[in-house]
Amino acid sequence: MRQIYAYMDTIQIKDKTFAVSIREEDILKEVSRVAADINRDLAGKNPLFLSVLNGSFMFTADLMKRITIPCEISFVKLASYQGDASTGVVKEMIGLNEDITGRTVVIVEDIVDTGLTMQQLLESLHTRHPQEVHIATLLVKPDKLKVNLNIEYAAMKIPNDFIVGYGLDYDGFGRNYKDIYTVINQ
Ligand code: 5GP
């Protein structure tokens, strides 16, 4: 019995083994807290939630089920391409068809690691003249943050380790797990 339980708590994806680190029920408690904060802060602002695919699909679904104020939701993707020497890899936002001029926008992300992706996303959104842009992220790795970001809505802070599950992948796999797993061999 013990062995079966241990088996269920670890997963193997390709060359890496992961152990469960945050259970679905604990994730949902934090998602509910973030939703309550957004419901309180953005009431009357008809926010447009911008879910950044693929990683945020599960967080987006659970968050939006708990948003009770009038709002809209749209989905975008980031396409990576090689910039110049100073910019390195540039991530361009694709798929945003809404006019966000004068709107209250909430970016819904899976994880902020160095913060460079979020910074590029913010710059790209600001060229479209929104009224205000807020950040909602499932996870932050505070020790890795390289840029100054005002992350108002963060469900959980985690250490520097690589994680999968609850929408996040390793080489395309692992997004389907309801819990979050941390790598235990690199
Ligand atoms: P940043 O630009 O903040 O360094 O990186 C953000 C992106 O890196 C996330 O949107 C995600 O795709 C990826 N990422 C960062 N840390 C992890 C992690 O621990 N696990 C997974 N699966 N992706 C991560």
Side-chain angles (χ1 to χ4, degrees), residues 109-117 141 161-163 168-169:
E109 253 289 23
D110 54 356
I111 184 164
V112 176
D113 188 18
T114 61
L116 293 170
T117 305
K141 292 181 180 171
D161 311 308
F162 187 75
I163 56 114
L168 289 105
D169 74 310

Side-chain angles (χ1 to χ4, degrees), residues 1-8:
M1 195 63 196
R2 177 177 283 273
Q3 262 183 347
I4 293 168
Y5 186 68
Y7 166 78
M8 286 167 60

Side-chain angles (χ1 to χ4, degrees), residues 48-62:
L48 170 67
F49 288 86
L50 270 193
S51 171
V52 185
L53 296 173
N54 295 327
S56 73
F57 80 94
M58 237 183 241
F59 173 47
T60 301
D62 284 331

